Amino acid sequence: MNKPTARWTSLLAAACGLSVMTACPSVAQAPVVKAKAENAREIVGMRRLTEGEYRRSIADVFGTGIKVQGRFEPEVRRDGLIAIGAGQAGISSSGMEQYYALASSISMQVMGKDGRKTFVPCAPASAKAADDACAGKFFAKYGRMLYRRPLEAAELKTLVGTARQVATSTKDFHAGLEETLTTMLASPNFLFRIERSTGTGANGQPILDDYSRAARLSFLFWDAPPDDELLLAADRGDLSTSEGLSKQVDRLAASPRLSEGLTAFFDDMLQMDLFKTQSKDPARFPKYSQVLAEDRASRRSAPS
């Protein structure tokens, strides 16, 4: 599937304008000025993951064998789109409890007897004691995938320290990983797409850093987090160049996963989530039920 980059760049720019809360910092063009040191890594936007984005994120990081079961904070629609409402949505206290319950369920599966063999990339010196080196490898690997960027040194140190405390008190290395993974999955760094800038362009708009660009691209095209190749491009700074950005746009557009992003985009635009609360005259539609409506909505949010 070899499509002209200009065509996909135009599509990206148009869709970006529809799917964000504020004016869209140019993802489709290289920055026109260098970043100002005093503005480096400034947070310029936060977008809460939709239910579909959350489910796809877990499936991409841990595989479809990990079940996501529980309730989600209601999604917010603004100007007709959930994609816009996500930039204005917060999390209530009850919603935080729900997210924590989801996180706990997921981390229990990941650290189960079968799961730990798959997901822990090393063997601890003792299963009954803390092992900072092994824990560090685990958090560095999955933190990068869950937060959609490499962990900062201070973040990694804090995660390893938390795992050490839990492992020491429970005499269980994997319990330390499980409890700390739960905190990661309930963290704003995972639940929100936090966008940072490296400066301001000539048009006065913030210049997104490469990891923010990578996330915006992947969620737009695939309704999912960046894959390893896209994160590696961000590591190299490729997404700050027209050539590097165009290469990734073409790759994402050529992927079979494009259908997932397009489905999510048009489901949002056509407000298909309203099937959850749809009511019909039982005399005219005797086979219609709320169970059927909820099944349609859950199929729409589930990863392929």
Side-chain angles (χ1 to χ4, degrees), residues 147-172:
Y147 291 3
R148 301 169 285 276
R149 59 170 174 79
L151 293 179
E152 298 175 359
E155 291 177 316
L156 182 57
K157 182 178 180 181
T158 297
L159 293 172
V160 170
T162 301
R164 183 194 314 121
Q165 292 177 354
V166 176
T168 300
S169 63
T170 61
K171 294 182 172 54
D172 187 337

PDB file of all heavy atoms in Angstrom, residues 147-172:
ATOM      1  N   TYR A 147       3.606   4.412  29.615  1.00  0.00           N
ATOM      2  CA  TYR A 147       3.653   5.884  29.648  1.00  0.00           C
ATOM      3  C   TYR A 147       3.905   6.476  28.271  1.00  0.00           C
ATOM      4  O   TYR A 147       3.921   7.681  28.109  1.00  0.00           O
ATOM      5  CB  TYR A 147       4.739   6.351  30.616  1.00  0.00           C
ATOM      6  CG  TYR A 147       4.455   6.099  32.082  1.00  0.00           C
ATOM      7  CD1 TYR A 147       3.296   5.432  32.492  1.00  0.00           C
ATOM      8  CD2 TYR A 147       5.346   6.517  33.061  1.00  0.00           C
ATOM      9  CE1 TYR A 147       3.048   5.202  33.832  1.00  0.00           C
ATOM     10  CE2 TYR A 147       5.094   6.296  34.413  1.00  0.00           C
ATOM     11  CZ  TYR A 147       3.948   5.632  34.795  1.00  0.00           C
ATOM     12  OH  TYR A 147       3.696   5.403  36.127  1.00  0.00           O
ATOM     13  N   ARG A 148       4.182   5.620  27.291  1.00  0.00           N
ATOM     14  CA  ARG A 148       4.392   6.042  25.899  1.00  0.00           C
ATOM     15  C   ARG A 148       5.624   6.948  25.758  1.00  0.00           C
ATOM     16  O   ARG A 148       5.692   7.810  24.882  1.00  0.00           O
ATOM     17  CB  ARG A 148       3.125   6.740  25.370  1.00  0.00           C
ATOM     18  CG  ARG A 148       1.898   5.834  25.438  1.00  0.00           C
ATOM     19  CD  ARG A 148       0.610   6.555  25.171  1.00  0.00           C
ATOM     20  NE  ARG A 148       0.162   7.377  26.282  1.00  0.00           N
ATOM     21  CZ  ARG A 148      -0.541   6.937  27.321  1.00  0.00           C
ATOM     22  NH1 ARG A 148      -0.910   5.670  27.375  1.00  0.00           N
ATOM     23  NH2 ARG A 148      -0.910   7.745  28.289  1.00  0.00           N
ATOM     24  N   ARG A 149       6.592   6.718  26.607  1.00  0.00           N
ATOM     25  CA  ARG A 149       7.865   7.436  26.603  1.00  0.00           C
ATOM     26  C   ARG A 149       8.796   6.725  27.581  1.00  0.00           C
ATOM     27  O   ARG A 149       8.339   5.975  28.451  1.00  0.00           O
ATOM     28  CB  ARG A 149       7.672   8.894  27.056  1.00  0.00           C
ATOM     29  CG  ARG A 149       7.079   9.005  28.457  1.00  0.00           C
ATOM     30  CD  ARG A 149       7.107  10.402  29.008  1.00  0.00           C
ATOM     31  NE  ARG A 149       6.420  10.498  30.279  1.00  0.00           N
ATOM     32  CZ  ARG A 149       6.906  10.139  31.467  1.00  0.00           C
ATOM     33  NH1 ARG A 149       8.128   9.606  31.544  1.00  0.00           N
ATOM     34  NH2 ARG A 149       6.211  10.284  32.578  1.00  0.00           N
ATOM     35  N   PRO A 150      10.102   6.934  27.472  1.00  0.00           N
ATOM     36  CA  PRO A 150      11.000   6.330  28.459  1.00  0.00           C
ATOM     37  C   PRO A 150      10.775   6.928  29.843  1.00  0.00           C
ATOM     38  O   PRO A 150      10.430   8.104  29.983  1.00  0.00           O
ATOM     39  CB  PRO A 150      12.399   6.694  27.930  1.00  0.00           C
ATOM     40  CG  PRO A 150      12.195   7.062  26.496  1.00  0.00           C
ATOM     41  CD  PRO A 150      10.829   7.652  26.405  1.00  0.00           C
ATOM     42  N   LEU A 151      10.953   6.115  30.860  1.00  0.00           N
ATOM     43  CA  LEU A 151      10.849   6.623  32.220  1.00  0.00           C
ATOM     44  C   LEU A 151      12.022   7.541  32.526  1.00  0.00           C
ATOM     45  O   LEU A 151      13.154   7.301  32.088  1.00  0.00           O
ATOM     46  CB  LEU A 151      10.848   5.474  33.226  1.00  0.00           C
ATOM     47  CG  LEU A 151       9.645   4.523  33.216  1.00  0.00           C
ATOM     48  CD1 LEU A 151       9.848   3.440  34.268  1.00  0.00           C
ATOM     49  CD2 LEU A 151       8.358   5.275  33.461  1.00  0.00           C
ATOM     50  N   GLU A 152      11.770   8.592  33.284  1.00  0.00           N
ATOM     51  CA  GLU A 152      12.855   9.425  33.785  1.00  0.00           C
ATOM     52  C   GLU A 152      13.551   8.687  34.918  1.00  0.00           C
ATOM     53  O   GLU A 152      12.980   7.816  35.567  1.00  0.00           O
ATOM     54  CB  GLU A 152      12.303  10.768  34.268  1.00  0.00           C
ATOM     55  CG  GLU A 152      11.635  11.579  33.159  1.00  0.00           C
ATOM     56  CD  GLU A 152      10.994  12.850  33.660  1.00  0.00           C
ATOM     57  OE1 GLU A 152      11.048  13.096  34.896  1.00  0.00           O
ATOM     58  OE2 GLU A 152      10.429  13.598  32.848  1.00  0.00           O
ATOM     59  N   ALA A 153      14.797   9.046  35.154  1.00  0.00           N
ATOM     60  CA  ALA A 153      15.587   8.334  36.173  1.00  0.00           C
ATOM     61  C   ALA A 153      14.914   8.378  37.540  1.00  0.00           C
ATOM     62  O   ALA A 153      14.873   7.373  38.259  1.00  0.00           O
ATOM     63  CB  ALA A 153      16.991   8.946  36.251  1.00  0.00           C
ATOM     64  N   ALA A 154      14.357   9.530  37.903  1.00  0.00           N
ATOM     65  CA  ALA A 154      13.697   9.659  39.204  1.00  0.00           C
ATOM     66  C   ALA A 154      12.452   8.792  39.280  1.00  0.00           C
ATOM     67  O   ALA A 154      12.149   8.215  40.331  1.00  0.00           O
ATOM     68  CB  ALA A 154      13.333  11.122  39.457  1.00  0.00           C
ATOM     69  N   GLU A 155      11.715   8.683  38.168  1.00  0.00           N
ATOM     70  CA  GLU A 155      10.523   7.836  38.142  1.00  0.00           C
ATOM     71  C   GLU A 155      10.896   6.372  38.344  1.00  0.00           C
ATOM     72  O   GLU A 155      10.257   5.658  39.130  1.00  0.00           O
ATOM     73  CB  GLU A 155       9.790   8.004  36.810  1.00  0.00           C
ATOM     74  CG  GLU A 155       9.127   9.343  36.610  1.00  0.00           C
ATOM     75  CD  GLU A 155       8.483   9.469  35.237  1.00  0.00           C
ATOM     76  OE1 GLU A 155       9.124   9.073  34.249  1.00  0.00           O
ATOM     77  OE2 GLU A 155       7.345   9.952  35.160  1.00  0.00           O
ATOM     78  N   LEU A 156      11.918   5.936  37.634  1.00  0.00           N
ATOM     79  CA  LEU A 156      12.343   4.546  37.746  1.00  0.00           C
ATOM     80  C   LEU A 156      12.819   4.237  39.156  1.00  0.00           C
ATOM     81  O   LEU A 156      12.503   3.186  39.725  1.00  0.00           O
ATOM     82  CB  LEU A 156      13.461   4.263  36.733  1.00  0.00           C
ATOM     83  CG  LEU A 156      13.984   2.829  36.682  1.00  0.00           C
ATOM     84  CD1 LEU A 156      12.863   1.843  36.384  1.00  0.00           C
ATOM     85  CD2 LEU A 156      15.088   2.699  35.641  1.00  0.00           C
ATOM     86  N   LYS A 157      13.540   5.165  39.740  1.00  0.00           N
ATOM     87  CA  LYS A 157      14.039   4.975  41.106  1.00  0.00           C
ATOM     88  C   LYS A 157      12.889   4.840  42.094  1.00  0.00           C
ATOM     89  O   LYS A 157      12.916   3.988  42.990  1.00  0.00           O
ATOM     90  CB  LYS A 157      14.935   6.156  41.500  1.00  0.00           C
ATOM     91  CG  LYS A 157      15.543   6.038  42.891  1.00  0.00           C
ATOM     92  CD  LYS A 157      16.454   7.218  43.199  1.00  0.00           C
ATOM     93  CE  LYS A 157      17.056   7.109  44.592  1.00  0.00           C
ATOM     94  NZ  LYS A 157      17.941   8.282  44.894  1.00  0.00           N
ATOM     95  N   THR A 158      11.864   5.655  41.917  1.00  0.00           N
ATOM     96  CA  THR A 158      10.702   5.602  42.807  1.00  0.00           C
ATOM     97  C   THR A 158       9.960   4.280  42.667  1.00  0.00           C
ATOM     98  O   THR A 158       9.570   3.659  43.666  1.00  0.00           O
ATOM     99  CB  THR A 158       9.743   6.765  42.506  1.00  0.00           C
ATOM    100  OG1 THR A 158      10.411   8.004  42.767  1.00  0.00           O
ATOM    101  CG2 THR A 158       8.493   6.686  43.369  1.00  0.00           C
ATOM    102  N   LEU A 159       9.767   3.819  41.442  1.00  0.00           N
ATOM    103  CA  LEU A 159       9.068   2.557  41.210  1.00  0.00           C
ATOM    104  C   LEU A 159       9.834   1.383  41.810  1.00  0.00           C
ATOM    105  O   LEU A 159       9.253   0.506  42.458  1.00  0.00           O
ATOM    106  CB  LEU A 159       8.858   2.339  39.712  1.00  0.00           C
ATOM    107  CG  LEU A 159       7.906   3.314  39.015  1.00  0.00           C
ATOM    108  CD1 LEU A 159       7.949   3.115  37.505  1.00  0.00           C
ATOM    109  CD2 LEU A 159       6.482   3.141  39.531  1.00  0.00           C
ATOM    110  N   VAL A 160      11.135   1.364  41.594  1.00  0.00           N
ATOM    111  CA  VAL A 160      11.964   0.284  42.154  1.00  0.00           C
ATOM    112  C   VAL A 160      11.914   0.329  43.677  1.00  0.00           C
ATOM    113  O   VAL A 160      11.828  -0.724  44.338  1.00  0.00           O
ATOM    114  CB  VAL A 160      13.412   0.405  41.644  1.00  0.00           C
ATOM    115  CG1 VAL A 160      14.329  -0.556  42.402  1.00  0.00           C
ATOM    116  CG2 VAL A 160      13.484   0.120  40.149  1.00  0.00           C
ATOM    117  N   GLY A 161      11.942   1.530  44.256  1.00  0.00           N
ATOM    118  CA  GLY A 161      11.881   1.669  45.707  1.00  0.00           C
ATOM    119  C   GLY A 161      10.563   1.165  46.272  1.00  0.00           C
ATOM    120  O   GLY A 161      10.536   0.497  47.324  1.00  0.00           O
ATOM    121  N   THR A 162       9.464   1.468  45.590  1.00  0.00           N
ATOM    122  CA  THR A 162       8.158   0.987  46.037  1.00  0.00           C
ATOM    123  C   THR A 162       8.089  -0.532  45.984  1.00  0.00           C
ATOM    124  O   THR A 162       7.610  -1.187  46.917  1.00  0.00           O
ATOM    125  CB  THR A 162       7.042   1.585  45.164  1.00  0.00           C
ATOM    126  OG1 THR A 162       7.086   3.008  45.246  1.00  0.00           O
ATOM    127  CG2 THR A 162       5.676   1.096  45.617  1.00  0.00           C
ATOM    128  N   ALA A 163       8.572  -1.112  44.897  1.00  0.00           N
ATOM    129  CA  ALA A 163       8.579  -2.565  44.766  1.00  0.00           C
ATOM    130  C   ALA A 163       9.441  -3.206  45.848  1.00  0.00           C
ATOM    131  O   ALA A 163       9.090  -4.269  46.389  1.00  0.00           O
ATOM    132  CB  ALA A 163       9.084  -2.965  43.380  1.00  0.00           C
ATOM    133  N   ARG A 164      10.548  -2.553  46.174  1.00  0.00           N
ATOM    134  CA  ARG A 164      11.436  -3.085  47.211  1.00  0.00           C
ATOM    135  C   ARG A 164      10.737  -3.123  48.564  1.00  0.00           C
ATOM    136  O   ARG A 164      10.824  -4.113  49.313  1.00  0.00           O
ATOM    137  CB  ARG A 164      12.699  -2.234  47.314  1.00  0.00           C
ATOM    138  CG  ARG A 164      13.719  -2.769  48.330  1.00  0.00           C
ATOM    139  CD  ARG A 164      14.803  -1.745  48.660  1.00  0.00           C
ATOM    140  NE  ARG A 164      15.332  -1.119  47.469  1.00  0.00           N
ATOM    141  CZ  ARG A 164      15.298   0.197  47.232  1.00  0.00           C
ATOM    142  NH1 ARG A 164      14.728   1.007  48.115  1.00  0.00           N
ATOM    143  NH2 ARG A 164      15.822   0.691  46.140  1.00  0.00           N
ATOM    144  N   GLN A 165      10.022  -2.048  48.891  1.00  0.00           N
ATOM    145  CA  GLN A 165       9.332  -1.987  50.178  1.00  0.00           C
ATOM    146  C   GLN A 165       8.267  -3.073  50.282  1.00  0.00           C
ATOM    147  O   GLN A 165       8.154  -3.754  51.314  1.00  0.00           O
ATOM    148  CB  GLN A 165       8.692  -0.611  50.357  1.00  0.00           C
ATOM    149  CG  GLN A 165       9.685   0.516  50.531  1.00  0.00           C
ATOM    150  CD  GLN A 165       9.004   1.880  50.629  1.00  0.00           C
ATOM    151  OE1 GLN A 165       7.789   1.996  50.463  1.00  0.00           O
ATOM    152  NE2 GLN A 165       9.778   2.924  50.901  1.00  0.00           N
ATOM    153  N   VAL A 166       7.474  -3.247  49.230  1.00  0.00           N
ATOM    154  CA  VAL A 166       6.408  -4.254  49.260  1.00  0.00           C
ATOM    155  C   VAL A 166       7.007  -5.656  49.309  1.00  0.00           C
ATOM    156  O   VAL A 166       6.548  -6.520  50.077  1.00  0.00           O
ATOM    157  CB  VAL A 166       5.489  -4.109  48.035  1.00  0.00           C
ATOM    158  CG1 VAL A 166       4.452  -5.220  48.009  1.00  0.00           C
ATOM    159  CG2 VAL A 166       4.807  -2.747  48.029  1.00  0.00           C
ATOM    160  N   ALA A 167       8.043  -5.898  48.509  1.00  0.00           N
ATOM    161  CA  ALA A 167       8.670  -7.223  48.487  1.00  0.00           C
ATOM    162  C   ALA A 167       9.278  -7.561  49.837  1.00  0.00           C
ATOM    163  O   ALA A 167       9.205  -8.719  50.295  1.00  0.00           O
ATOM    164  CB  ALA A 167       9.733  -7.279  47.396  1.00  0.00           C
ATOM    165  N   THR A 168       9.861  -6.568  50.474  1.00  0.00           N
ATOM    166  CA  THR A 168      10.488  -6.797  51.778  1.00  0.00           C
ATOM    167  C   THR A 168       9.440  -7.112  52.841  1.00  0.00           C
ATOM    168  O   THR A 168       9.629  -8.010  53.677  1.00  0.00           O
ATOM    169  CB  THR A 168      11.305  -5.564  52.194  1.00  0.00           C
ATOM    170  OG1 THR A 168      12.323  -5.318  51.213  1.00  0.00           O
ATOM    171  CG2 THR A 168      11.965  -5.779  53.546  1.00  0.00           C
ATOM    172  N   SER A 169       8.327  -6.379  52.829  1.00  0.00           N
ATOM    173  CA  SER A 169       7.303  -6.587  53.849  1.00  0.00           C
ATOM    174  C   SER A 169       6.517  -7.878  53.627  1.00  0.00           C
ATOM    175  O   SER A 169       6.086  -8.523  54.588  1.00  0.00           O
ATOM    176  CB  SER A 169       6.340  -5.395  53.878  1.00  0.00           C
ATOM    177  OG  SER A 169       5.649  -5.281  52.638  1.00  0.00           O
ATOM    178  N   THR A 170       6.343  -8.270  52.369  1.00  0.00           N
ATOM    179  CA  THR A 170       5.567  -9.480  52.071  1.00  0.00           C
ATOM    180  C   THR A 170       6.434 -10.707  51.853  1.00  0.00           C
ATOM    181  O   THR A 170       5.911 -11.822  51.768  1.00  0.00           O
ATOM    182  CB  THR A 170       4.712  -9.275  50.804  1.00  0.00           C
ATOM    183  OG1 THR A 170       5.579  -9.017  49.687  1.00  0.00           O
ATOM    184  CG2 THR A 170       3.745  -8.123  50.985  1.00  0.00           C
ATOM    185  N   LYS A 171       7.758 -10.477  51.750  1.00  0.00           N
ATOM    186  CA  LYS A 171       8.696 -11.558  51.415  1.00  0.00           C
ATOM    187  C   LYS A 171       8.302 -12.231  50.094  1.00  0.00           C
ATOM    188  O   LYS A 171       8.325 -13.456  49.956  1.00  0.00           O
ATOM    189  CB  LYS A 171       8.778 -12.588  52.545  1.00  0.00           C
ATOM    190  CG  LYS A 171       9.390 -12.043  53.830  1.00  0.00           C
ATOM    191  CD  LYS A 171       9.483 -13.107  54.894  1.00  0.00           C
ATOM    192  CE  LYS A 171      10.273 -12.631  56.099  1.00  0.00           C
ATOM    193  NZ  LYS A 171       9.776 -11.343  56.680  1.00  0.00           N
ATOM    194  N   ASP A 172       7.948 -11.377  49.129  1.00  0.00           N
ATOM    195  CA  ASP A 172       7.494 -11.869  47.829  1.00  0.00           C
ATOM    196  C   ASP A 172       7.903 -10.858  46.757  1.00  0.00           C
ATOM    197  O   ASP A 172       7.331  -9.756  46.677  1.00  0.00           O
ATOM    198  CB  ASP A 172       5.976 -12.052  47.831  1.00  0.00           C
ATOM    199  CG  ASP A 172       5.446 -12.719  46.559  1.00  0.00           C
ATOM    200  OD1 ASP A 172       6.125 -12.654  45.515  1.00  0.00           O
ATOM    201  OD2 ASP A 172       4.338 -13.277  46.607  1.00  0.00           O
TER     202      ASP A 172
END
